[in-house]
């Protein structure tokens, strides 16, 4: 009858709302199995379910507030060292026997071949989120990967969890392994985390677990929340609807940037401008070598943006052959187009672009 039809219509609207909370399948099953044909029962159940989803939405909002506040605090209170340490300074600390925690987030087989003395292997991914409560919050934590880029992501997530973490510049391959005398602080012995039991807000822990779980599930060109130089070039050439974000200094952006990029310099105040970015588009972030872009990507993703970082950033001699310029692609100034290139609308204009 008409009452039943009206209910069916309202119920479908309700199901659409529930899609945002991954509840539609369960609710539809309940509807089909238990309350068919009884319009009074249906109305009562619909009202009850609406209340449940309202409560869930409120809980999600509280989670968003907790995580957002933590991310903003980490960024706005960024120290002068910007959560990084130079490779030489790091090796000096190891040589001095300072009391610290070292995390090697490379793969287990590479870790087994040789790592910094005392380093614990937590391979990039859920091994990090699974061990959040075991990583001391009362000691400095130093993280290294291969080139520093994924360590940048890890550092931001750990600081959000209240862990005082810094990444080692250029990682093992490009930084640590090139420090004179590093062989004196290299070992093959496997190490474990010290006894620790951190208190981490459950909403923050869940958000970080979600971050790494989703990252491990990606198998396309955005694996590891990154994009290759060639894939970005192809996206620009095909005029893909993406946002390209340079987090380099304003003067370096003005001297040359990837076509279509906007500029929001990395630093304490960057979230003030990042909040204007769209949440319904892919955001490709790049810096100089990919390391601070890694931090920016982690912050953006924890805030609900679909962000990835460009492999190797703009590219510098220190991280060749990775990076945009090192891959043979050109930078532009203003609205200039690279020689032989097409115009692009890959990113919107920004008041911060110069």
């Amino acid at each position: 009858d008409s009452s039943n039809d009206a209910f069916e219509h309202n119920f479908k609207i309700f199901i659409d709302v529930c899609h945002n909370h991954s509840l539609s399948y369960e609710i539809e099953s309940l509807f089909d199995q238990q309350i068919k044909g009884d319009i009074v029962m249906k109305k009562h159940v619909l009202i009850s379910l609406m209340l449940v989803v309202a409560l869930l939405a409120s809980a999600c909002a509280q989670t968003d507030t907790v995580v957002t506040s933590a991310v903003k605090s980490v960024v706005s209170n960024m120290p002068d060292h910007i959560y990084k340490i130079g490779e030489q300074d790091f090796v000096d600390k190891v040589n001095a026997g300072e009391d610290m925690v070292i995390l090697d987030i490379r793969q287990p087989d590479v870790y087994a071949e040789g790592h910094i003395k005392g380093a614990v292997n937590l391979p990039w991914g859920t091994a990090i989120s699974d061990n959040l409560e075991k990583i001391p919050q009362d000691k400095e934590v130093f993280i290294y990967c291969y080139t520093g880029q994924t360590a940048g992501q890890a550092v931001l997530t750990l600081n959000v969890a209240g862990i005082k973490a810094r990444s080692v510049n250029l990682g093992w391959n490009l930084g640590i392994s090139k420090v004179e005398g590093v062989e004196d602080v290299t070992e093959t012995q496997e190490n474990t985390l010290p006894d620790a039991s951190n208190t981490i807000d459950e909403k923050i822990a869940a958000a970080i677990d979600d971050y790494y779980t989703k990252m491990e599930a990606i198998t396309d060109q955005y694996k590891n929340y990154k994009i290759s130089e060639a894939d970005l070039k192809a996206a620009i050439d095909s005029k893909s609807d993406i946002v390209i974000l340079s987090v380099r200094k304003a003067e370096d952006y003005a001297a040359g940037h990837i076509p279509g990029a906007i500029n929001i310099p990395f630093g304490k105040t960057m979230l003030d401008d990042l909040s204007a970015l769209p949440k319904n588009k892919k955001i490709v972030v790049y810096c100089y070598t990919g390391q601070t872009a890694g931090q920016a990507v982690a912050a953006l993703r924890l805030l609900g943006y679909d962000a990835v970082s460009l492999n190797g950033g703009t590219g510098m001699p220190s991280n060749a052959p990775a990076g945009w310029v090192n891959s043979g692609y050109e930078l532009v100034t203003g609205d200039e187009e690279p020689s032989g290139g097409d115009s692009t609308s890959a990113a919107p204009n920004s008041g911060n672009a110069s």
Side-chain angles (χ1 to χ4, degrees), residues 51-314:
L51 289 173
V52 168
V53 172
L55 290 171
L56 287 172
S58 176
C60 289
Q62 291 176 14
T63 297
D64 289 345
T65 300
V66 170
V67 175
T68 296
S69 295
V71 172
K72 288 183 175 180
S73 177
V74 168
V75 174
S76 63
N77 293 298
M78 185 182 295
D80 291 340
H81 57 56
I82 61 171
Y83 303 119
K84 289 178 61 181
I85 185 173
E87 58 270 40
Q88 180 67 63
D89 290 339
F90 169 66
V91 172
D92 288 345
K93 281 180 171 288
V94 177
N95 269 316
E98 293 191 18
D99 186 19
M100 57 186 176
V101 176
I102 304 171
L103 301 180
D104 181 327
I105 62 172
R106 299 177 301 159
Q107 291 303 301
D109 58 332
V110 182
Y111 170 84
E113 292 173 1
H115 51 265
I116 292 297
K117 284 183 178 179
V120 177
N121 187 217
L122 296 182
W124 170 241
T126 53
I128 297 172
S129 51
D130 289 346
N131 286 280
L132 276 183
E133 295 185 352
K134 297 179 183 179
I135 304 172
Q137 292 174 312
D138 60 348
K139 295 182 180 181
E140 280 198 301
V141 177
F142 295 98
I143 308 175
Y144 65 87
C145 57
Y146 298 95
T147 64
Q149 194 158 354
T150 51
Q153 292 186 51
V155 157
L156 194 288
T157 62
L158 291 191
N159 275 282
V160 167
I163 297 165
K164 296 177 287 188
R166 297 163 65 180
S167 64
V168 181
N169 186 52
L170 295 172
W172 178 274
N173 291 2
L174 305 177
I176 299 170
S177 66
K178 298 183 182 299
V179 175
E180 184 177 355
V182 69
E183 60 275 4
D184 296 331
V185 292
T186 300
E187 65 177 5
T188 57
Q189 174 183 321
E190 182 177 356
N191 302 296
T192 58
L193 286 169
D195 291 332
S197 181
N198 298 330
T199 300
I200 299 174
D201 186 286
E202 62 181 12
K203 299 179 180 67
I204 290 176
I208 294 174
D209 180 68
D210 184 64
Y211 182 95
Y212 287 107
T213 300
K214 288 181 177 177
M215 185 274 294
E216 286 189 344
I218 298 173
T219 58
D220 61 13
Q221 68 266 38
Y222 302 118
K223 185 178 181 180
N224 294 317
Y225 296 141
K226 294 172 60 180
I227 184 173
S228 72
E229 302 88 323
D231 283 339
L232 177 58
K233 181 64 165 62
I236 292 173
D237 290 345
S238 65
K239 302 186 186 302
S240 295
D241 190 20
I242 61 174
V243 176
I244 305 176
L245 172 63
S246 167
V247 294
R248 299 189 305 154
K249 295 178 180 178
E251 58 267 30
D252 293 325
Y253 171 84
H257 53 267
I258 293 174
I262 60 173
N263 184 221
I264 300 176
F266 183 82
K268 294 181 178 182
T269 62
M270 65 178 177
L271 290 184
D272 296 339
D273 294 312
L274 291 178
S275 61
L277 294 173
K279 287 191 174 182
N280 61 345
K281 294 184 179 182
K282 182 75 69 178
I283 301 171
V284 178
V285 187
Y286 75 92
C287 58
Y288 299 91
T289 59
Q291 299 176 88
T292 51
Q295 289 190 40
V297 161
L300 283 169
R301 295 199 72 90
L302 288 172
L303 293 175
Y305 296 88
D306 184 12
V308 297
S309 65
L310 172 62
N311 184 60
T314 300

Side-chain angles (χ1 to χ4, degrees), residues 7-19:
F7 175 83
E8 297 282 358
H9 174 71
N10 291 332
F11 188 79
K12 287 179 180 178
I13 294 174
F14 175 65
I15 289 298
D16 288 339
V17 173
C18 290
H19 272 296

